Amino acid sequence: MTTKCILSTGNIMTAGAEVIRKPTLEKSNTELVNSLRENFKASSSAPISASSSSNGSNNSDCHDKKLSPQEWIKVGLDGVTYIPAAVDNPEVLVEERGEYDITVKLFYLPNVPPSLRCQHTTDAVRLVCESLGTSHLDLLIVSFPNISFDAEDEDVSPESDVAEWARTYRTLEALHAKGTISRIGLSEFGTTRLDQLLPHTKVKPSVDQINVRDCCVVPKPLILYAKQRGIELLTHNDCTDILPAETLEEVLVGEFGIFEKGVKMVPQWVVKYTAVIRSRGVVENKGYIAMIEAE
């Protein structure tokens, strides 16, 4: 039997400095795993106050009681297991919605059938909107598996890959048409990949996010190509292997005992979101949500 599970970090901006990634030192997978650990730890602990009256004092000694997994995870009406339990009243953005830029990056993971990406996209966007208490996102960037940017790589991708990209992209265009997302972004697309995909699109991507860690600078042909087509180039240093199955097993089985040893866990997708207050350039809310299947 396969169990679908949603893992969430909550707002890591309120979680403590040890969780937040240092851009030059740690990768996004480190930030994700550390913040999952911290959220699980907080959710699996309940404060207990033991009052001492031996000297007539009102002082109390507070400590935490460790809860069983059944007490802090929940199976929703949709049959999905939420780890930790979904919050009934999510942290609504403090300012008016128009004050924020909300950017979401969705990582499609390897070893997951491409035919599932459309449903995964819809689910991920819905969960982020519910978490932030909003009805729409400003920018959704999608990251396809087994793609990395290489300034020297001009190889043409197989038509089968292009067909799968286009199929997924139509889901993004549908969300754009509904007003759920304002702008569409891609990740790791050089000039050749863009040239292959763009003829299949109706709504052109507004953003192309690339990792220049290996080549240090954005190639001039890509700069020119993007400028001619009105595509904004952004850089990132996210890790492509953002949620390794081995690490997931270590956390869910070894550390928190949520599943028994021997249960196979397959990460399906990961989404990272940030809500930035435009006027101050301050990140108010940042977090991750992931979907896995446990067999």
Side-chain angles (χ1 to χ4, degrees), residues 7 11 13 37-38 49 89 91 135 140 154 164 195 235 244 251 293:
L7 316 180
N11 184 5
M13 302 307 295
R37 281 192 175 104
E38 289 301 314
S49 178
N89 297 305
E91 296 182 21
S135 61
L140 174 63
E154 291 297 331
E164 291 296 348
D195 211 34
T235 61
V251 174
E293 289 188 350

Side-chain angles (χ1 to χ4, degrees), residues 187-205:
S187 183
E188 309 304 337
F189 272 60
T191 54
T192 302
R193 291 193 184 105
L194 286 171
D195 211 34
Q196 288 184 272
L197 176 62
L198 261 54
H200 301 277
T201 65
K202 295 179 181 178
V203 179
K204 303 304 178 188

Side-chain angles (χ1 to χ4, degrees), residues 4-286:
K4 291 185 177 180
C5 306
I6 296 296
L7 316 180
S8 59
T9 65
N11 184 5
I12 69 176
M13 302 307 295
T14 61
E18 69 277 4
V19 168
I20 301 173
R21 171 168 55 112
K22 300 175 180 61
T24 58
L25 300 177
E26 296 180 357
K27 297 180 178 180
S28 51
N29 59 348
T30 303
E31 182 179 69
L32 167 59
V33 173
N34 284 346
S35 50
L36 283 175
R37 281 192 175 104
E38 289 301 314
N39 200 28
F40 294 172
K41 190 183 300 181
S43 301
S44 62
S45 301
I48 300 176
S49 178
S51 299
S52 173
S53 57
S54 58
N55 57 1
S57 165
N58 290 326
N59 293 335
S60 62
D61 181 23
C62 295
H63 58 284
D64 289 339
K65 171 189 175 183
K66 188 172 183 179
L67 304 176
S68 67
Q70 291 74 21
E71 294 178 277
W72 59 278
I73 66 177
K74 181 180 180 181
V75 179
L77 297 177
D78 52 5
V80 176
T81 300
Y82 291 84
I83 310 173
V87 179
D88 293 330
N89 297 305
E91 296 182 21
V92 179
L93 300 171
V94 177
E95 309 287 343
E96 294 292 329
R97 174 62 183 86
E99 295 296 317
Y100 293 93
D101 268 322
I102 299 179
T103 298
V104 173
K105 185 171 184 179
L106 173 57
F107 298 84
Y108 302 119
L109 302 182
N111 305 316
V112 177
S115 59
L116 297 177
R117 289 177 190 158
C118 296
Q119 184 61 52
H120 288 173
T121 303
T122 303
D123 291 343
V125 168
R126 173 180 56 82
L127 288 166
V128 171
C129 286
E130 289 175 357
S131 297
L132 294 177
T134 184
S135 61
H136 69 281
L137 309 173
D138 295 292
L139 172 62
L140 174 63
I141 299 171
V142 292
S143 174
F144 292 95
N146 305 315
I147 288 181
S148 59
F149 179 75
D150 186 343
E152 303 299 326
D153 182 11
E154 291 297 331
D155 291 341
V156 175
S157 298
E159 284 301 317
S160 58
D161 288 352
V162 178
E164 291 296 348
W165 300 341
R167 179 179 178 180
T168 303
Y169 201 91
R170 285 193 286 274
T171 299
L172 308 181
E173 291 178 324
L175 291 170
H176 181 274
K178 292 178 182 178
T180 307
I181 58 176
S182 300
R183 298 195 297 159
I184 300 172
L186 300 168
S187 183
E188 309 304 337
F189 272 60
T191 54
T192 302
R193 291 193 184 105
L194 286 171
D195 211 34
Q196 288 184 272
L197 176 62
L198 261 54
H200 301 277
T201 65
K202 295 179 181 178
V203 179
K204 303 304 178 188
S206 300
V207 165
D208 184 19
Q209 189 187 53
I210 59 175
N211 190 329
V212 295
R213 181 170 46 199
D214 295 327
C215 61
C216 300
V217 295
V218 180
K220 289 184 179 179
L222 178 56
I223 294 175
L224 180 60
Y225 186 96
K227 184 177 181 180
Q228 291 173 339
R229 289 157 182 79
I231 300 173
E232 181 183 4
L233 293 177
L234 301 178
T235 61
H236 74 91
N237 60 352
D238 289 320
C239 179
T240 53
D241 189 15
I242 194 167
L243 189 58
E246 298 79 7
T247 304
L248 189 62
E249 181 179 353
E250 177 185 330
V251 174
L252 296 184
V253 177
E255 297 181 30
F256 291 93
I258 297 172
F259 295 107
E260 295 180 357
K261 191 172 182 180
V263 172
K264 180 182 178 183
M265 281 164 282
V266 183
Q268 301 291 300
W269 53 260
V270 172
V271 69
K272 176 177 72 173
Y273 58 88
T274 56
V276 178
I277 301 176
R278 286 193 179 103
S279 59
R280 302 200 296 273
V282 175
V283 179
E284 179 185 284
N285 201 310
K286 178 180 181 181

